[in-house]
Amino acid sequence: MSSDTTTPTGSLQDKVVIVTGGNSGIGEGIVRECAAQGAKVVIDYVGNAEYAAQMVEELGGAERAIAVKADVSKVADLTMLVSIAVETFGRLDVMVNNAGVEFGETLLTLTEEKYDLLMAINLKGATFGTKLAAEQMIKQGDGGVVINVSSTHEDWPMPSDLAYCVSKGGMRMLTRNAGVELGEHGVRVVNIAPGAIDTPINDEDTPAETKALEAAIPLGYIGTPQQMGQLATFVASEAARYITATTIFADGGLMQKPGAV
Ligand SMILES: NC(=O)c1ccc[n+]([C@@H]2O[C@H](COP(=O)([O-])OP(=O)(O)OC[C@H]3O[C@@H](n4cnc5c(N)ncnc54)[C@H](O)[C@@H]3O)[C@@H](O)[C@H]2O)c1
């Protein structure tokens, strides 16, 4: 029997992937799953530089991963992020606009300051992240994928966090419009819309709130960052090459359960 000398390849082998907010929660899950599929990853972060550096080491060091501090609410930072990715790894194949915040303000408690900050991170960041990535991908000439991490709340009202829902609703239209505009360039744009996922964004939930949430989820449990990473790697892969300008929900059935919120 001849020995198998081929190197195993993942679905994203040597693809270059940027993940914003990549050193915690869903972003970390996406970074780790992309790396497991052979990608070279650029971990964007704003806080906890030590953990971003630790992730780089765990993923194989500077040949396979780098960490870049960039605030997605600033177009200059996003421009620098894409430039460093291209300078370091030679190209950009997948852009994951994951960074996001929520402040838990209703329409009546919302301030202009909080609205502006949330929109700048969640919606402006994703919009210019998509634009800058698309410009680079068009220059390369062989397509690419933009994944925007929205939320079930791109479609589903949650009055306890009005601005968050407005930002995610905006991402719904960002992805549909950009996906249509960029189709002729072979650049796909897809939202992944998580339901309730176990990450720091939900740290303030009380045990009673967590229990009620679990009870409302038809599959019976809160999802994991790894599951969102697996979804993102599927969307980024050739297996998803006919999917664009749309949203894939991953919520354990939560949105469909009557009276879930
Ligand atoms: N956890 C959930 O239940 C859930 C559900 C639906 C959607 N989401 C979305 O998933 C994404 C990731 O959230 P998460 O749950 O992993 O929480 P998280 O708090 O762990 O992740 C948010 C990340 O965004 C980063 N970030 C914040 N402001 C930034 C800025 N200005 N520039 C760059 N990075 C910035 C944070 O540092 C953090 O790494 C968010 O867009 C969130 O809206 C989360």
Side-chain angles (χ1 to χ4, degrees), residues 99-115:
V101 290
E102 54 177 82
F103 295 142
E105 303 289 347
T106 74
L107 176 66
L108 297 180
T109 64
L110 185 62
T111 61
E112 180 181 5
E113 194 185 21
K114 282 193 170 162
Y115 177 92

Side-chain angles (χ1 to χ4, degrees), residues 24-26 46 71-72 98-100 150 164 168 194-195 197 199-202:
S24 71
I26 291 171
V46 284
D71 177 345
V72 301
N98 163 76
S150 69
Y164 182 77
K168 298 299 183 180
I197 309 300
T199 74
I201 218 170
N202 296 318

Side-chain angles (χ1 to χ4, degrees), residues 4-139:
D4 182 359
T5 53
T6 53
T7 310
T9 55
S11 64
L12 301 179
Q13 195 62 42
D14 293 330
K15 299 281 183 195
V16 180
V17 180
I18 295 176
V19 182
T20 67
N23 67 340
S24 71
I26 291 171
E28 179 178 351
I30 295 173
V31 164
R32 290 189 185 279
E33 287 301 312
C34 287
Q37 289 301 327
K40 297 175 180 175
V41 286
V42 179
I43 303 167
D44 158 70
Y45 69 94
V46 284
N48 203 349
E50 298 74 22
Y51 192 63
Q54 182 186 321
M55 285 178 67
V56 167
E57 286 314 306
E58 288 169 5
L59 297 176
E63 303 256 301
R64 305 302 309 174
I66 57 168
V68 178
K69 184 173 186 179
D71 177 345
V72 301
S73 70
K74 299 189 169 77
V75 175
D77 278 28
L78 281 169
T79 304
M80 181 254 313
L81 177 65
V82 172
S83 296
I84 290 178
V86 174
E87 277 161 26
T88 307
F89 293 128
R91 54 182 289 116
L92 175 62
D93 298 290
V94 181
M95 177 78 182
V96 184
N97 294 304
N98 163 76
V101 290
E102 54 177 82
F103 295 142
E105 303 289 347
T106 74
L107 176 66
L108 297 180
T109 64
L110 185 62
T111 61
E112 180 181 5
E113 194 185 21
K114 282 193 170 162
Y115 177 92
D116 284 347
L117 180 58
L118 186 146
M119 286 298 169
I121 296 170
N122 292 14
L123 187 54
K124 180 183 165 193
T127 302
F128 284 91
T130 302
K131 177 182 158 78
L132 291 161
E135 285 170 352
Q136 175 61 30
M137 291 165 184
I138 290 168
K139 212 186 297 173

